[in-house]
């Protein structure tokens, strides 16, 4: 297949003299984005190689695995543990539905851990086969950039070999950050949390983001005592404040002890566990301390400074809107660029890279209206603007529609935990500009549950609706599925309130 490749921003011309390279593309990092970019580039006819560190469930500077963080020590194994944790409360709820559940129900952590490991090993093999079937050459070892068109591969036996490539793509992702506090070596990160030999009876978690609230839900659902410490008044900074409050209320309602406006000052080994000191003078005894205070771009060992690739102050690779660095032959996608650190975004960036460089169709990633979910129990899912973002970015008034209700399942089980839904509408254009939900199945509902039969839309989810510019009138004209929670999104007729850009900002 003939290939069209960008040369200094211009597509190559037929018959143009080109230097010989071992590969058209060499990718460093075989996570979701790197694998996608490799496969799609190969489908355009490029000769592609990719390198990745050897597989290990717990990542480090010298271990990794084909599939990357999401598949091996992130989204996938975490979701498996979320499923496992959800069964505990479900068994309790089942009693009012007539199930005579034995009071002595035991949870076998080691069995779930074994099943989780089996699954990520299976997925690691699938990702390797995807590369092989696409004709991508896979090298196991550590890759370093040693020139604009040269990658050095440090093989497993320590020997080094160099390969030349017309284009180099950096897709090495990110690693968990450890805060600089005395005794931090006693703490674990999410990598280790997914592979603990024993389920902790007492856990302290530092952080208020995705990972922190998800592991709080996981361990609490499995019966552990959980203390969640975070710096702000509410967890999940950056999300809609109203929905953050809902999540906090739900976490507390499920028995998690919340410590807002709190950080840890010291960890020390003690008889029977770890003494955790907070900045409020509290001392908590724990079996495990999880630090979930963010992630840092994985650029430390890539030799990028020596080659002249520009990094930002977080050591993320700086790229233009096409994912190209300041070195024309070197590109970067995914978390290593610290743009929008989500697996589906890395996949999108990988697709756009392949189209741009080898498909003859320069394509910029589109970061508007990207949905996301937090898999706490129950989960939160959002797309579009939060209320606070709408105040900042919309000129004029925004109509807010909310619905808070007891899910039908809870009316029998007796669980007092409400689902909350929210729509934001540009009052001038009637366009829906934001949607949020906290409740059972929120991610599935947000992505693809609503059918809008209009001239503009076929099978349509909330995320697709916003992307296509759906109006509130079109939501209202859609027939819902009854009885379902999802139908609330098309039956919220009454405006809860109207806001404008002069509303005071919060600091939650």
């Amino acid at each position: 297949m003939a290939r069209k490749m960008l040369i200094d921003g211009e597509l190559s011309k037929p018959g143009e003299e080109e230097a010989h390279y071992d590969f058209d593309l060499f990718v460093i990092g075989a996570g979701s984005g790197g694998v996608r970019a490799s496969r799609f580039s190969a489908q355009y006819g490029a000769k592609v190689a990719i390198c990745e560190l050897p597989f290990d469930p717990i990542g480090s500077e010298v271990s990794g695995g084909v599939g990357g963080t999401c598949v091996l020590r992130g989204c996938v194994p975490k979701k498996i543990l979320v499923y496992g944790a959800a069964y505990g409360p479900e068994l309790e709820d089942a009693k009012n539905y007539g199930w005579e559940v034995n009071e002595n129900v035991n949870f076998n952590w080691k069995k779930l851990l074994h099943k989780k490991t089996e699954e990520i090993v299976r997925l690691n093999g699938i990702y390797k086969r995807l590369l092989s079937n696409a004709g991508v050459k896979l090298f196991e070892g550590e890759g370093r950039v040693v020139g604009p068109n040269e990658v050095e591969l440090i093989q497993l036996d320590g020997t080094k070999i160099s390969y030349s490539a017309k284009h180099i793509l950096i897709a090495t992702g990110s690693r968990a950050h450890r805060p600089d506090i005395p005794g931090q070596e006693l703490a674990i990160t999410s990598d280790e949390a997914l592979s603990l030999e024993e389920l902790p009876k007492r856990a302290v978690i530092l952080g208020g983001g995705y990972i922190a609230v998800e592991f709080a839900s996981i361990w609490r659902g499995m019966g552990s005592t959980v203390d969640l410490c975070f710096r702000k008044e509410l967890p999940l900074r950056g999300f809609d404040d109203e929905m953050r409050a809902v999540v906090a209320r739900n976490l507390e309602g499920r028995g998690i002890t919340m410590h807002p406006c709190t950080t840890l000052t010291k960890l020390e080994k003690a008889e029977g566990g770890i003494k955790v000191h907070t900045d409020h003078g509290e001392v908590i005894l724990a079996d495990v301390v999880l630090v979930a205070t963010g992630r840092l771009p994985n650029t430390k060992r890539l030799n990028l400074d020596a080659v002249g690739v520009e990094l930002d102050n977080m050591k993320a690779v700086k790229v233009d809107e096409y994912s190209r660095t300041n070195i024309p032959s070197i590109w970067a996608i995914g978390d290593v660029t610290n743009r929008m650190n989500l697996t589906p975004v890395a996949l999108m960036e990988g697709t756009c890279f392949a189209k741009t460089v080898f498909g003859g169709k320069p394509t910029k990633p589109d970061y508007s209206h990207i949905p996301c979910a937090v898999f706490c129990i129950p989960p939160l899912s959002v797309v579009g603007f939060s209320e606070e973002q709408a105040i900042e970015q919309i000129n004029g008034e925004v109509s807010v529609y909310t619905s808070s209700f007891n899910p039908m399942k809870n009316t029998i089980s007796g669980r007092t935990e409400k689902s909350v839904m929210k729509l934001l509408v540009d009052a001038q254009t009637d366009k829906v500009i934001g949607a949020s939900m906290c409740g059972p199945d929120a991610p599935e509902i947000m992505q693809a549950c609503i059918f809008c039969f209009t001239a503009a839309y076929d099978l349509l989810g909330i995320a697709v609706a916003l992307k296509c510019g759906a109006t509130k009138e079109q939501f209202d004209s859609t027939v819902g599925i009854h009885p379902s929670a999802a139908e609330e999104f098309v039956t919220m007729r009454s405006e809860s309130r109207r806001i404008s850009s002069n509303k005071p900002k919060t600091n939650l």
Side-chain angles (χ1 to χ4, degrees):
M1 179 188 295
R3 297 188 297 273
K4 296 179 179 179
M5 294 187 290
L6 282 177
I7 302 176
D8 295 331
E10 298 294 334
L11 285 172
S12 58
K13 298 178 177 58
E16 186 172 0
E17 192 69 26
E18 294 183 15
H20 173 73
Y21 299 99
D22 296 323
F23 296 98
D24 298 318
L25 172 65
F26 199 109
V27 180
I28 302 176
S32 298
V35 169
R36 170 65 64 87
S38 300
R39 292 173 52 226
F40 281 33
S41 296
Q43 288 172 8
Y44 285 119
K47 184 181 180 183
V48 182
I50 191 169
C51 70
E52 179 55 70
L53 295 165
F55 170 76
D56 193 290
I58 301 175
S60 71
E61 290 186 341
V62 294
S63 64
V66 177
T69 296
C70 175
V71 173
L72 305 180
R73 61 193 69 87
C75 320
V76 172
K78 170 204 71 185
K79 187 78 179 288
I80 290 171
L81 297 192
V82 169
Y83 282 137
Y87 279 107
E90 290 279 338
L91 287 169
E92 188 65 30
D93 291 352
K95 293 177 182 178
N96 280 344
Y97 278 92
W99 291 92
E100 300 295 334
V101 181
N102 189 316
E103 293 297 329
N104 298 316
V105 176
N106 296 317
F107 172 65
N108 189 328
W109 165 257
K110 289 184 183 292
K111 183 174 184 178
L112 177 58
L113 198 67
H114 176 70
K115 288 291 186 183
K116 180 272 297 182
T117 301
E118 280 186 338
E119 177 61 10
I120 65 174
V121 169
R122 184 184 75 87
L123 292 172
N124 175 249
I126 286 175
Y127 271 71
K128 286 181 176 179
R129 287 195 294 276
L130 287 172
L131 291 169
S132 177
N133 292 342
V136 177
K137 175 67 176 175
L138 171 63
F139 294 102
E140 196 168 51
E142 181 179 8
R144 299 169 68 241
V145 181
V146 294
N149 300 97
E150 188 176 1
V151 173
E152 179 183 78
L153 180 70
I154 305 171
Q155 302 180 103
L156 301 186
D157 61 3
T159 58
K160 300 177 181 178
I161 186 168
S162 292
Y163 294 97
S164 61
K166 184 169 184 59
H167 297 276
I168 297 170
L169 177 64
I170 301 163
T172 48
S174 61
R175 290 199 187 283
H177 164 67
R178 286 178 176 271
D180 186 17
I181 58 174
Q184 59 89 13
E185 70 278 0
L186 299 173
I188 63 171
T189 68
S190 56
D191 283 3
E192 295 86 10
L194 290 162
S195 298
L196 287 174
E197 290 187 9
E198 301 289 341
L199 177 67
K201 292 181 180 178
R202 303 160 300 179
V204 172
I205 301 173
L206 174 63
Y210 288 78
I211 294 171
V213 299
E214 288 170 347
F215 271 99
S217 289
I218 288 168
W219 285 333
R220 182 63 195 139
M222 294 172 179
S224 304
T225 298
V226 179
D227 287 82
L228 180 61
C229 304
F230 45 96
R231 290 183 300 171
K232 296 290 185 178
E233 292 181 25
L234 293 170
L236 298 175
R237 181 169 60 89
F239 285 80
D240 187 285
D241 285 349
E242 185 173 10
M243 305 309 290
R244 293 167 67 197
V246 172
V247 170
R249 189 164 62 244
N250 288 344
L251 294 175
E252 201 161 28
R254 292 200 174 226
I256 294 164
T257 303
M258 307 290 278
H259 299 265
C261 305
T262 301
T263 190
L264 306 187
T265 57
K266 182 171 67 172
L267 307 178
E268 55 183 354
K269 205 162 189 176
E271 188 176 346
I274 302 169
K275 272 188 179 179
V276 181
H277 298 260
T278 78
D279 58 349
H280 295 296
E282 298 171 292
V283 179
I284 308 167
L285 190 63
D287 301 308
V288 161
V289 179
L290 170 65
V291 289
T293 52
R295 298 178 67 84
L296 296 175
N298 214 358
T299 55
K300 182 179 176 182
R301 296 166 65 96
L302 291 174
N303 196 47
L304 298 178
D305 287 335
V307 180
V309 174
E310 291 182 358
L311 306 178
D312 67 15
N313 59 357
M314 295 289 290
K315 299 300 181 183
V317 181
K318 295 173 70 172
V319 293
D320 66 13
E321 54 193 354
Y322 291 98
S323 299
R324 197 176 207 170
T325 73
N326 61 304
I327 307 296
S329 57
I330 300 177
W331 310 69
I333 60 169
D335 287 13
V336 76
T337 65
N338 200 30
R339 287 177 284 184
M340 186 174 282
N341 298 339
L342 296 169
T343 298
V345 173
L347 294 172
M348 172 182 67
E349 290 169 356
T351 300
C352 293
F353 164 82
K355 287 181 178 179
T356 297
V357 181
F358 298 105
K361 186 180 179 183
T363 305
K364 304 173 188 176
D366 181 359
Y367 299 99
S368 63
H369 300 311
I370 290 175
C372 62
V374 182
F375 290 98
C376 45
I377 301 174
L380 166 69
S381 191
V382 304
V383 64
F385 291 142
S386 66
E387 186 171 333
E388 293 69 37
Q389 290 169 332
I391 292 170
E392 288 282 344
Q393 299 194 38
I394 298 298
N395 291 324
E397 294 184 318
V398 175
S399 297
V400 182
Y401 296 82
T402 60
S403 177
S404 176
F405 58 94
N406 204 26
M408 186 176 180
K409 187 177 181 181
N410 290 357
T411 61
I412 301 298
S413 72
R415 182 172 293 279
T416 56
E417 189 174 73
K418 292 187 179 296
S419 288
V420 178
M421 294 179 174
K422 184 173 186 176
L423 285 177
L424 302 175
V425 180
D426 185 324
Q428 183 175 357
T429 65
D430 197 43
K431 283 187 177 180
V432 179
I433 56 173
S436 307
M437 176 182 175
C438 185
D441 302 317
E444 309 298 334
I445 291 170
M446 196 61 62
Q447 182 70 61
C449 79
I450 292 183
F451 298 82
C452 287
F453 294 99
T454 69
Y457 314 101
D458 295 314
L459 181 62
L460 190 63
I462 296 287
V464 179
L466 264 69
K467 192 78 173 175
C468 296
T471 64
K472 184 64 168 63
E473 183 181 10
Q474 288 168 326
F475 270 69
D476 293 344
S477 67
T478 300
V479 177
I481 297 173
H482 182 76
S484 70
E487 67 180 315
E488 285 292 315
F489 271 119
V490 296
T491 58
M492 286 191 277
R493 302 285 198 272
S494 300
E495 184 181 84
S496 302
R497 60 185 175 274
R498 186 167 286 210
I499 58 173
S500 59
S501 58
N502 60 7
K503 182 180 177 182
K505 299 178 180 62
T506 64
N507 188 32
L508 299 177

